[in-house]
């Protein structure tokens, strides 16, 4: 089924899907133009106490004032693939505990501030269109590998500012691929 530019059901559409190991989504949020796209909004909060041992709460911060939207995500989720949209919004995956993000969206030009803050991401696959990693995008993560579409000569990403908390990104091993 094609999701087009809007999820049928929007937020909470994956509520209770606690056995997922990988997930491919057309964009993050409830629509392609969502102004508050948080990954956790797809899962919402559980209404069934029997599933609490299958997941964890992520307090997803969505702006610099510290406002948050708690979501309940599956422990089993290891890989998320995003095929469209942009990831430049604040805190889009804040606090999420999956290992790998694969970005296939050619319209993605930046990874937003605090995007993976305190998450457990270990590797990220970026298209050649990504040109900026914003402040604290990978602070307090386990990031080890950045796969970049293109060659080392084509790799041209601006990473925050001095002291921007992206040491995990800058020190991660860079690997290159072509499609």
């Amino acid at each position: 089924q094609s999701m087009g530019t809007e999820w049928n059901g929007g937020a909470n559409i994956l509520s209770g899907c606690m056995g997922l190991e990988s997930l491919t989504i057309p964009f993050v949020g409830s629509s392609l133009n969502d102004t508050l796209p948080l990954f956790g909004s797809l899962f919402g909060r559980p209404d069934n106490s029997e599933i609490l041992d299958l997941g964890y709460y992520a307090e997803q911060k969505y702006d610099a004032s510290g406002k948050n939207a708690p979501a309940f995500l599956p422990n089993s989720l290891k890989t998320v693939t995003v095929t469209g949209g942009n990831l430049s919004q604040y805190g889009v995956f804040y606090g999420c505990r999956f290992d790998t993000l694969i970005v296939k969206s050619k319209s993605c030009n930046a990874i937003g501030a605090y995007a993976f803050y305190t998450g457990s991401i270990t590797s990220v696959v970026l298209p050649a269109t990504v040109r900026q990693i914003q402040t604290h995008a990978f602070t307090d993560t386990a990031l080890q590998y950045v796969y970049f579409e293109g060659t080392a000569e084509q790799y041209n990403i601006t990473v925050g500012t001095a002291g921007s908390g992206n040491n995990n990104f800058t020190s991660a091993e860079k690997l290159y691929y072509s499609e």
Side-chain angles (χ1 to χ4, degrees):
Q1 176 183 357
S2 173
M3 296 297 181
T5 59
E6 205 167 309
W7 288 101
N8 182 15
N12 303 321
I13 194 168
L14 298 174
S15 180
C17 295
M18 293 293 114
L20 291 175
E21 292 180 12
S22 66
L23 177 64
T24 298
I25 53 178
F27 44 81
V28 177
S30 59
S31 73
L32 186 59
N33 299 311
D34 192 341
T35 57
L36 185 60
L38 296 174
F39 178 70
S41 69
L42 299 174
F43 292 90
R45 297 186 215 171
D47 54 5
N48 180 350
S49 62
E50 294 175 12
I51 66 169
L52 291 179
D53 60 337
L54 301 176
Y56 64 94
Y57 276 101
E59 294 290 333
Q60 291 205 269
K61 305 279 189 240
Y62 60 86
D63 71 14
S65 71
K67 292 179 183 173
N68 67 54
F72 192 74
L73 296 138
N75 286 328
S76 58
L77 188 59
K78 300 298 178 206
T79 303
V80 173
T81 302
V82 180
T83 61
N86 207 343
L87 299 177
S88 61
Q89 300 84 355
Y90 188 103
V92 69
F93 293 104
Y94 191 109
C96 294
R97 296 184 213 150
F98 55 85
D99 298 332
T100 302
L101 173 71
I102 301 169
V103 181
K104 292 187 174 183
S105 173
K106 299 301 183 188
S107 62
C108 184
N109 58 13
I111 303 297
Y114 293 85
F116 294 96
Y117 193 79
T118 70
S120 64
I121 190 164
T122 57
S123 61
V124 63
V125 179
L126 300 174
T129 55
V130 172
R131 293 290 177 229
Q132 183 181 31
I133 305 297
Q134 296 176 6
T135 303
H136 294 289
F138 291 94
T139 297
D140 291 338
T141 65
L143 189 65
Q144 298 172 19
Y145 303 100
V146 175
Y147 296 86
F148 182 75
E149 180 184 23
T151 65
E153 293 76 29
Q154 295 169 316
Y155 179 80
N156 184 21
I157 295 180
T158 302
V159 181
T161 58
S164 67
N166 278 316
N167 293 343
N168 291 346
F169 185 86
T170 55
S171 64
E173 183 176 352
K174 307 300 184 291
L175 303 162
Y176 304 94
Y177 73 95
S178 61
E179 290 216 334

